[in-house]
Amino acid sequence: KNEVEQSPQNLTAQEGEFITINCSYSVGISALHWLQQHPGGGIVSLFMLSSGKKKHGRLIATINIQEKHSSLHITASHPRDSAVYICAPHTDKLIFGTGTRLQVF
Amino acid sequence: DAGVIQSPRHEVTEMGQEVTLRCKPISGHDYLFWYRQTMMRGLELLIYFNNNVPIDDSGMPEDRFSAKMPNASFSTLKIQPSEPRDSAVYFCASSSLRGPIEAFFGQGTRLTVV
């Protein structure tokens, strides 16, 4: 079983929709990153969180340490949000989910 | 700071040749990570350093791969001899546990071995 599970793997949405991407992990962590990778390939760290909730613009990330689960929400989605979103728990190193490919039309 | 700098951005080489990828981490960061990304396997950790010392190289696929960090501002990942299955995007990232645990990624090196 993978240490990190993301769902869904692929997601298609219409502009304006509310989007949720889920991440479950089985290891003990000190923090968890949500990364964004655009078609050009560069990776950007969106959030690093170790508890509770963080908000940045239209993006919201939450984490429940007890349940070993994190979610990334995008409100009022836009075509420029189209990218691969990767959950990366931080143990003594980063481990990665398989990513969620989001396309917003 | 200009962020994590990787070079070259693209590399095309013939099978059997030696390939060297370079990384300059963010100044002050004491962790450096090398990752590989392929369509089949996604992102994988190859090796990471703490204070220039290799801590975990269990992700290095085989002896053809080696990584060094001679000082705090420079690291190399070398493949010798290269094979077509090494074709991937190689990312370098750095972070520091003294501040927020924020990992910063370089732009990656796209390696094609023909």
Side-chain angles (χ1 to χ4, degrees), chain B residues 67-114:
Chain B
K68 293 182 180 179
M69 192 164 185
N71 56 62
S73 59
F74 183 66
S75 177
T76 59
L77 177 67
K78 187 175 293 187
I79 310 172
Q80 166 64 18
S82 58
E83 297 182 3
R85 60 193 166 119
D86 302 330
S87 298
V89 180
Y90 291 81
F91 287 98
C92 174
S94 72
S95 68
S96 172
L97 291 182
R98 282 190 289 271
I101 310 172
E102 194 74 53
F104 294 86
F105 284 78
Q107 289 288 85
T109 295
R110 183 174 296 276
L111 173 65
T112 304
V113 183
V114 298

Side-chain angles (χ1 to χ4, degrees), chain A residues 9-77:
Chain A
Q9 289 191 329
N10 293 284
L11 185 55
T12 302
Q14 285 195 333
E15 184 173 357
E17 283 188 22
F18 180 86
I19 300 223
T20 295
I21 300 170
N22 294 300
C23 174
S24 295
Y25 52 93
S26 58
V27 295
I29 68 169
S30 52
L32 182 142
H33 296 253
W34 279 100
L35 308 174
Q36 180 192 55
Q37 186 172 31
H38 275 284
I43 297 176
V44 174
S45 177
L46 298 173
F47 291 103
M48 186 277 297
L49 65 166
S50 53
S51 65
K53 175 179 171 179
K54 282 191 176 181
K55 185 175 188 294
H56 181 68
R58 295 179 294 106
L59 301 178
I60 303 168
T62 63
I63 188 167
N64 185 319
I65 295 292
Q66 287 74 27
E67 295 186 3
K68 291 191 163 76
H69 182 268
S70 178
S71 294
L72 176 68
H73 306 283
I74 305 175
T75 61
S77 59

